[in-house]
Amino acid sequence: MKLILKWKWPIVALWVAAAVLLISFMPDMGQLIREKGQAGVPEKYSSKQADRLLREMNQSVNENEMPVIVVFHNRDKLDDRQMDEIKNAVRELEQQKSGLKIVSVMSHINNEDMQEQMLSKDGTTALVLVTVDMGTHSKEEIGNLLTERLNNVQVDHYLTGSELIMEDFVKTTQAGIKKTEGVAVAFIIIVLILIFRSPVTPVISLITVVLTFFDFPGYGYPTG
């Protein structure tokens, strides 16, 4: 103990330097989750079945291309006005291929052979398959750009697809982890205070651990 008190400032400086070094080389946890993956969506869910159908229809998609399904829906039935809105949306997406780097747009509108796969039998739902070259954009940015392009379409619609579903899954998982961080840290501090009978010792011990849970801009491995 005397040795520690004698060299307390060098020890503190060494501890701070080690913490900064570890934080500097800390990997991006969000990127690791996206690359390595984790628990996925069960095969029985409709989203997985839609993904299988999507890949059957568009087998030529390469790694840098992201398939997105635009779902247009009306609970009663898509009327003529709404079908015209969908046609205009398909034409607009085709005309803006260069701006959004859209590789292809597939629907029953521009390909009558796809009507059985892309238009429901009851006429309530129409699908449009949009393949986008991601370039330097993230999956979330692609989703936001497509949403902006379809903002003026006066038909209820949403975006889906395996990439967007997994992105939402990762974001939801990360949000859940962050919610439990505060509770876990508070619980550990209380337990350590009861064990060490000192409010200082557990706090100092946990500072390094707590820092690993924060996202520091500019740190982490390059994501390409």
Side-chain angles (χ1 to χ4, degrees):
M1 181 61 70
K2 291 182 179 180
L3 182 63
I4 295 176
L5 293 175
K6 180 179 180 180
W7 296 94
K8 60 181 179 180
W9 294 117
I11 291 174
V12 170
L14 182 63
W15 180 84
V16 172
V20 171
L21 186 64
L22 290 173
I23 293 172
S24 299
F25 288 94
M26 181 176 63
D28 187 334
M29 297 304 296
Q31 186 64 24
L32 282 177
I33 293 175
R34 287 174 172 81
E35 290 178 354
K36 303 301 181 181
Q38 53 182 339
V41 180
E43 290 291 335
K44 66 179 182 179
Y45 280 76
S46 58
S47 59
K48 295 294 288 186
Q49 296 174 12
D51 179 54
R52 184 167 58 253
L53 175 63
L54 182 152
R55 295 188 181 281
E56 290 175 358
M57 292 187 299
N58 199 20
Q59 297 178 356
S60 62
V61 176
N62 62 41
E63 293 182 355
N64 200 47
E65 293 179 358
M66 176 178 169
V68 179
I69 301 175
V70 186
V71 182
F72 297 94
H73 179 72
N74 183 8
R75 185 176 58 183
D76 298 325
K77 186 178 180 180
L78 293 168
D79 56 31
D80 292 339
R81 182 192 62 81
Q82 291 173 323
M83 291 301 297
D84 288 337
E85 285 281 330
I86 297 173
K87 290 179 182 178
N88 292 333
V90 170
R91 293 193 187 97
E92 184 176 352
L93 289 173
E94 289 177 330
Q95 293 172 359
Q96 296 184 358
K97 284 186 177 181
S98 59
L100 192 58
K101 293 185 179 180
I102 295 177
V103 178
S104 64
V105 180
M106 186 183 300
S107 73
H108 72 283
I109 294 171
N110 55 14
N111 189 343
E112 294 182 357
D113 295 335
M114 302 301 298
Q115 182 164 340
E116 184 177 346
Q117 292 88 352
M118 310 295 279
L119 184 64
S120 64
K121 293 182 180 180
D122 59 5
T124 61
T125 305
L127 304 181
V128 176
L129 173 59
V130 183
T131 303
V132 183
D133 185 349
M134 295 181 63
T136 58
H137 293 296
S138 66
K139 297 173 184 177
E140 183 178 7
E141 289 173 339
I142 293 296
N144 291 337
L145 287 172
L146 279 174
T147 300
E148 290 178 7
R149 294 291 189 278
L150 299 170
N151 191 42
N152 294 327
V153 179
Q154 301 300 314
V155 183
D156 290 339
H157 61 276
Y158 58 89
L159 306 181
T160 186
S162 59
E163 304 291 348
L164 292 178
I165 291 172
M166 185 55 66
E167 184 71 13
D168 288 341
F169 184 75
V170 170
K171 289 166 63 177
T172 302
T173 302
Q174 291 176 335
I177 292 174
K178 289 183 178 180
K179 288 180 180 179
T180 61
E181 287 172 4
V183 177
V185 170
F187 178 77
I188 293 172
I189 289 177
I190 292 173
V191 171
L192 292 179
I193 288 176
L194 294 176
I195 294 174
F196 291 105
R197 299 180 182 278
S198 169
V200 178
T201 303
V203 172
I204 294 176
S205 303
L206 288 172
I207 287 178
T208 304
V209 178
V210 172
L211 288 175
T212 62
F213 285 93
F214 290 94
D215 294 326
F216 293 90
Y219 293 115
Y221 295 140
T223 60

